[in-house]
Amino acid sequence: MTMKRRRTAGLPGSYGDADMEGDVTRTDALLDALARREALSGTDAALRLLGALVADVDSQRLSSVSITPST
Amino acid sequence: MPNVTEGCVADAATGVRLATRSDESDLRELTSLAVQGDRTAIESLLGQLRPMVVRYCRARLGRVSGQYHIADDVAQEVCIAVLSALPRYRDMGRPFASFVFGIASHKVADALRSSVRSAVPTQDLPDGPDEGPGPEETVVRYIEAQHARDLLARLPDTQRELLILRVVSGLSAEETGNVLGMTPGAVRVAQHRALARLRQLAELESIA
């Protein structure tokens, strides 16, 4: 019989089992890398799309503003 | 009235970094000085927050006629609203970023509701050669980015906000949690589920 380690079920932040905890940690590291604009290898469709969105958002020079209070 | 000058967030390396605990404490101190009217602190505070706000607005609103003018205008409105609200801001223990992104979220919602699609001025002709990606790469990137926006729009609101704040605006799990009223642990679990849902949507579309 396989015993799974469980935290309180149903609460935000709870993990179903050790595998889930590992997956959550890996996802966090991948999103950190994307947020730092690091290139990610692999074929994950969701990460590729988020990477494309990040690249598109960062690609265009701003025609807008920086704001400083008037003197 | 605030002075408005040209700026740029194209250099992602200078605009995106994940905050550390000491950054948060520096930002709190900076916010405190800005609230008291310290001009240098206000400029520095907005300088730190503005790139994140611009990215957030661009990710949520997308391009119109190939440009980010409307998203950038909304980001400008957010910065002006933050500047106007600064004297009334009271530190209630939550980071200043949560206050800023609260305003940004409302401004984006207003823009989406009005969905104004007015004439958009074109960029000035460049003086030199364009060092950016070529037309084909630009189109592919544009299509993929729009596809990402379409799929993100199909996620529950919290999951969409979470991924945009975390990845596009570059907030840490702790900062994202402060904005959305979640613990960092809850953010990590929710972002994992959001990414899984996004993956599922992308795979379903590729099959259809």
Side-chain angles (χ1 to χ4, degrees):
Chain A
M1 183 178 166
T2 306
M3 295 292 289
K4 286 187 175 179
R5 184 171 63 84
R6 287 192 180 277
R7 293 166 64 180
T8 311
L11 289 178
S14 65
Y15 302 122
D17 52 41
D19 286 346
M20 170 74 172
E21 193 167 349
D23 288 346
V24 165
T25 304
R26 271 190 292 280
T27 297
D28 192 46
L30 288 168
L31 295 185
D32 265 349
L34 268 181
R36 286 193 299 264
R37 281 25 181 184
E38 292 173 8
L40 296 180
S41 58
T43 56
D44 187 305
L47 291 174
R48 184 173 50 76
L49 286 171
L50 286 175
L53 180 60
V54 163
D56 189 60
V57 162
D58 288 345
S59 68
Q60 193 176 79
R61 287 179 68 86
L62 276 188
S63 58
S64 61
V65 295
S66 63
I67 300 171
T68 54
S70 57
T71 51
Chain B
M1 285 292 290
N3 295 325
V4 178
T5 55
E6 291 287 314
C8 173
V9 290
D11 182 0
T14 62
V16 179
R17 62 187 175 80
L18 301 181
T20 63
R21 200 165 290 280
S22 65
D23 288 337
E24 285 175 19
S25 122
D26 289 348
L27 195 61
R28 191 174 288 271
E29 193 176 324
L30 199 58
T31 304
S32 171
L33 289 170
V35 168
Q36 293 166 43
D38 183 315
R39 289 182 188 284
T40 309
I42 292 171
E43 192 170 348
S44 179
L45 185 67
L46 286 173
Q48 285 189 37
L49 292 168
R50 192 181 61 89
M52 293 188 283
V53 171
V54 171
R55 289 185 175 93
Y56 173 83
C57 293
R58 286 182 171 189
R60 289 291 313 277
L61 293 170
R63 296 173 185 256
V64 176
S65 303
Q67 303 294 324
Y68 276 122
H69 287 97
I70 289 178
D72 291 352
D73 284 350
V74 172
Q76 179 182 355
E77 284 180 26
V78 173
C79 290
I80 291 172
V82 168
L83 194 60
S84 303
L86 256 183
R88 298 187 304 278
Y89 175 77
R90 295 289 173 269
D91 187 349
M92 306 294 279
R94 296 181 69 188
F96 190 66
S98 66
F99 171 70
V100 173
F101 281 101
I103 292 174
S105 175
H106 284 109
K107 291 283 184 190
V108 165
D110 287 347
L112 287 171
R113 268 195 295 273
S114 61
S115 297
V116 176
R117 295 290 182 262
S118 54
V120 176
T122 56
Q123 284 183 317
D124 293 337
L125 287 174
D127 291 331
D130 187 355
E131 304 291 340
E136 187 178 338
E137 191 182 337
T138 301
V139 168
V140 168
R141 187 165 62 193
Y142 174 81
I143 290 170
E144 285 210 317
Q146 195 50 48
H147 188 202
R149 279 190 196 91
D150 292 344
L151 294 184
L152 283 168
R154 289 161 61 184
L155 294 179
D157 289 353
T158 304
Q159 288 191 348
R160 185 190 59 239
E161 288 290 297
L162 201 158
L163 286 179
I164 289 176
L165 289 171
R166 186 81 175 82
V167 175
V168 182
S169 292
L171 300 190
S172 66
E174 287 75 11
E175 288 173 318
T176 304
N178 283 321
V179 173
L180 297 176
M182 301 164 75
T183 64
V187 167
R188 292 189 176 95
V189 172
Q191 72 189 9
H192 177 69
R193 289 177 179 150
L195 193 68
R197 179 67 184 140
L198 191 66
R199 187 178 299 122
Q200 189 183 37
L201 289 171
E203 285 167 0
L204 280 173
E205 285 221 335
S206 70
I207 293 168

